[in-house]
Amino acid sequence: MPKRIKTELLPPFPIKWENALKPHWEEEMKEALKAEIQNEYDKNIVYPEIENIWKAFSLTPPENVRVLILGQDPYHGIHQANGLSFSVDNGVKIPPSLRNIFKLYCSNTGYNQPKSGNLGKWAEQGVLLLNSSLSVKKDQPGSHSYLPYEQILNAVLTYLNKSKNGIVFWLLGNQAQVHSSVITNTNHLCLKTSHPSPLSAYRGFHESQLFSKTDEFFKKRELNNINWCLES
């Protein structure tokens, strides 16, 4: 019998997202996924901390989504993953993938290099920061790719695809781009490029102009831009 190393229970899925995804995410499948996630936290050291697993959904309710940034899986080192893709808490060393995002951020927006890797300000403006896998075992990248997280991602993308609002999707890396077939609504903009990790960023990420292309999309539709600036 594996030793139970955590006693915390998975927090409730945010109610607004629960209601939004009901038509696209069967109750039985949802409960099965939650049970598998709970089992992983009970048996292993898993990131992010269990109370943060739905953080992206909590900070960005469905009606507020303007941009979806989809990555691969959470950071697998201690004190890194905080429930928002690519983000780390204030005071945590900026990981290599986020450093590459910040290089693009500086070159494409003209803003200075942020001192903190906390992307919560983006989330609060409608940037949904998700990964293809929402959890990972300590020091084992990709270790939760076998969990059926595609169920929740497909439900989210199906819901957002039906939106009449113009949404910009950033699909970063091959795992994220698998989901591009769901995005069929021409009201939206789907931007696909390589993952910003040092192993793949050279394959087009640095030249992707994600920030300016997103701004141009909103400007053409006379919508407010995201305030990307992370410095107060």
Side-chain angles (χ1 to χ4, degrees), residues 76-121:
H76 53 83
I78 189 170
H79 302 315
Q80 289 186 313
N82 70 0
L84 304 176
S85 62
F86 301 108
S87 177
V88 292
D89 287 337
N90 295 331
V92 175
K93 183 179 178 181
I94 296 174
S97 292
L98 186 54
R99 282 205 303 270
N100 280 330
I101 290 175
F102 283 168
K103 284 180 184 177
L104 179 64
Y105 163 91
C106 293
S107 66
N108 200 203
T109 68
Y111 292 129
N112 294 327
Q113 171 80 21
K115 295 181 177 64
S116 170
N118 190 334
L119 305 182
K121 183 178 178 182

Side-chain angles (χ1 to χ4, degrees), residues 1 30 50 87 89-90 92 106 157 162 168 190 207 232:
M1 189 86 175
K30 179 181 69 177
I50 195 167
S87 177
D89 287 337
N90 295 331
V92 175
C106 293
L157 289 168
K162 292 182 176 181
V168 182
C190 186
E207 298 76 39
S232 50

Side-chain angles (χ1 to χ4, degrees), residues 33-91:
L33 173 60
K34 287 164 66 176
E36 289 192 63
I37 296 170
Q38 183 72 59
N39 186 51
E40 286 295 328
Y41 276 97
D42 289 345
K43 294 192 304 181
N44 304 291
I45 298 175
V46 173
Y47 300 128
E49 298 297 329
I50 195 167
E51 65 268 19
N52 288 329
I53 188 142
W54 310 131
K55 185 176 181 179
F57 298 101
S58 297
L59 289 183
T60 312
E63 69 275 13
N64 288 4
V65 177
R66 306 189 65 218
V67 178
L68 168 63
I69 299 179
L70 185 60
Q72 187 167 303
D73 60 357
Y75 299 123
H76 53 83
I78 189 170
H79 302 315
Q80 289 186 313
N82 70 0
L84 304 176
S85 62
F86 301 108
S87 177
V88 292
D89 287 337
N90 295 331

